[in-house]
């Protein structure tokens, strides 16, 4: 369980997080949403001990992060897997060695590493790519590799920072399905930072909205989307886009079906 209590974080004179309070229970898939620059990634970095906060407390499974020294933070971080929008893979290493990186840092034996990497590659569906370089993989496959690497140390938490933002819709849904099945299989608590509302609706059961460094709303995803409070409407409004395309009736039906599966709000205007 993660308890964030009155956390304040600033960079020089700029306040980024102000009195942030949040509780994330075990096994939740928790969406942290809000416009760009509002402090979502900074909060994730505080959770994994990469950023220090000026005041308040972050308590993870009973351990107060602000009380840990650098070595203890490093060990503690084994509990936290992290994946990013840009995948953060190492181009000159093959997929096997990208996945094995955390285990190599912790000096695991070659046999343990081989067994674990092969097990994860099979679980994630990239067993035929272990000898390839990242540049030979699609975006969705690269994110699968990053997920496998994040899972090597058997973390209790998986932190996802805009992990589908650079993927096409098909890869996005396959990564969301993978995350859902990993959560069910291994009871990992997942925290998802995103500006994509469809991702929250599709994947998360709890959510919090950050506005100007403060939590403006938190609660159950289904209830929040049903009640559509102002904080959510403001965010959804930001998602509005005007797209002009010419489609025949069959194509239009397919697009509508896809938008419905994504939980996207849309309005169709124009000639039929
Ligand atoms: P979000 O993830 O919501 O887009 P970030 O947490 O990345 O927002 O950034 C929040 C604010 O903190 C931004 O104004 C950003 O410029 C600032 N910021 C983030 N990291 C640093 C840093 N290392 N030094 C100075 N300012 C930073």
């Amino acid at each position: 369980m993660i308890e964030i209590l009155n956390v304040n974080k600033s960079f020089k004179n700029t306040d980024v997080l102000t009195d942030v309070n949040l509780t994330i229970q075990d096994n939740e898939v928790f969406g942290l949403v809000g416009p760009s620059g509002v402090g979502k990634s900074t909060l994730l970095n505080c959770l994994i001990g990469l950023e220090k906060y000026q005041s308040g407390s972050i308590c993870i499974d009973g351990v107060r992060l602000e009380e840990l020294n650098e070595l203890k933070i490093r060990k503690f971080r084994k509990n936290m897997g992290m994946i990013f929008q840009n995948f953060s893979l190492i181009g000159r290493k093959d997929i096997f060695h990208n996945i094995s990186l955390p285990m190599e840092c912790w000096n695991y034996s070659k046999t343990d590493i081989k067994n674990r990497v092969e097990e994860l590659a099979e679980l994630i569906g990239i067993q035929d790519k272990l000898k390839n370089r990242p540049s030979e993989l699609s975006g969705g496959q690269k994110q699968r590799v990053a997920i496998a690497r994040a899972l090597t140390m058997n973390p209790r938490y998986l932190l996802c920072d805009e992990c589908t933002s650079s993927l096409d819709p098909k890869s996005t849904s396959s990564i969301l399905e993978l995350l859902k099945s990993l959560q069910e299989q291994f009871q990992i608590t997942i925290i998802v930072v995103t500006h994509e509302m469809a991702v929250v609706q599709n994947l998360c059961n709890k959510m919090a909205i950050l506005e100007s460094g403060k939590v403006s709303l938190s609660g159950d995803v289904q209830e929040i989307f049903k009640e559509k409070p102002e904080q959510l409407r403001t965010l959804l409004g930001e998602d509005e886009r005007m797209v002009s395309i010419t489609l025949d009736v069959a194509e239009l039906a397919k697009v509508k079906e896809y938008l419905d599966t994504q939980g996207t709000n849309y309005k169709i205007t124009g000639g039929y």
Side-chain angles (χ1 to χ4, degrees):
M1 172 174 156
I2 299 181
E3 285 172 287
I4 302 168
L5 302 164
N6 298 104
V7 164
N8 288 283
K9 164 78 188 164
S10 53
F11 291 107
K12 297 204 173 116
N13 295 327
T14 313
D15 293 337
V16 177
L17 302 173
T18 317
D19 262 338
V20 171
N21 285 288
L22 272 182
T23 302
I24 300 170
Q25 303 284 355
D26 288 349
N27 288 333
E28 279 179 357
V29 183
F30 196 98
L32 197 54
V33 299
S36 185
V38 84
K40 304 181 296 293
S41 302
T42 303
L43 186 56
L44 276 198
N45 287 337
C46 291
L47 288 183
I48 56 169
L50 277 183
E51 287 287 355
K52 294 208 177 320
Y53 32 97
Q54 278 77 19
S55 63
S57 181
I58 296 180
C59 189
I60 303 184
D61 300 331
V63 176
R64 287 189 183 275
L65 291 197
E66 60 279 5
E67 290 172 0
L68 302 183
N69 61 27
E70 277 306 314
L71 180 65
K72 285 189 174 154
I73 287 255
R74 252 194 92 208
K75 283 193 180 152
F76 182 80
R77 216 174 278 147
K78 284 183 181 176
N79 287 318
M80 324 288 275
M82 189 142 179
I83 56 171
F84 306 91
Q85 176 171 3
N86 64 2
F87 323 116
S88 295
L89 302 178
I90 299 175
R92 67 191 153 74
K93 286 186 188 274
D94 64 19
I95 297 309
F96 182 101
H97 290 95
N98 266 282
I99 299 176
S100 67
L101 211 60
M103 293 183 87
E104 279 166 20
C105 288
W106 286 102
N107 292 322
Y108 279 73
S109 73
K110 280 206 157 72
T111 320
D112 284 350
I113 292 179
K114 184 171 179 295
N115 290 342
R116 181 74 178 139
V117 170
E118 286 175 357
E119 179 192 20
L120 281 169
E122 193 163 333
L123 179 79
I124 306 284
I126 44 165
Q127 59 273 48
D128 56 336
K129 302 288 177 202
L130 289 175
K131 291 201 168 77
N132 290 87
R133 296 285 169 99
S135 59
E136 296 167 312
L137 271 56
S138 70
Q141 288 168 332
K142 285 183 199 161
Q143 197 56 292
R144 282 173 182 265
V145 175
I147 292 173
R149 182 183 55 191
L151 295 179
T152 46
M153 309 302 288
N154 252 321
R156 284 178 44 71
Y157 299 93
L158 182 63
L159 278 51
C160 311
D161 195 352
E162 298 284 4
C163 67
T164 54
S165 301
S166 59
L167 300 180
D168 59 66
K170 206 169 152 213
S171 308
T172 294
S173 21
S174 89
I175 291 293
L176 296 184
E177 285 312 312
L178 175 64
L179 290 173
K180 274 187 223 173
S181 87
L182 291 171
Q183 200 286 322
E184 280 162 21
Q185 236 174 310
F186 302 110
Q187 277 86 53
I188 312 174
T189 304
I190 301 184
I191 303 169
V192 182
V193 158
T194 183
H195 67 277
E196 295 172 297
M197 289 300 149
V199 169
V200 180
Q201 235 182 336
N202 206 309
L203 180 65
C204 304
N205 45 29
K206 298 280 170 177
M207 67 183 283
I209 298 178
L210 274 187
E211 273 176 52
S212 320
K214 286 185 193 239
V215 176
S216 63
L217 183 76
S218 65
D220 187 273
V221 169
Q222 284 197 351
E223 278 171 25
I224 289 177
F225 274 83
K226 200 167 139 209
E227 286 163 19
K228 286 224 170 105
E230 194 192 329
Q231 296 91 327
L232 180 69
R233 288 202 310 274
T234 311
L235 271 183
L236 289 172
E238 285 193 0
D239 269 355
E240 265 175 29
R241 305 265 192 284
M242 278 274 284
V243 183
S244 174
I245 39 176
T246 309
L247 297 169
D248 64 30
V249 176
E251 288 166 332
L252 180 64
K254 276 192 198 153
V255 169
K256 283 169 82 172
E257 193 185 319
Y258 173 73
L259 292 173
D260 288 337
T261 60
Q262 296 297 301
T264 311
N265 290 310
Y266 62 90
K267 208 163 39 185
I268 293 172
T269 55
Y272 289 87

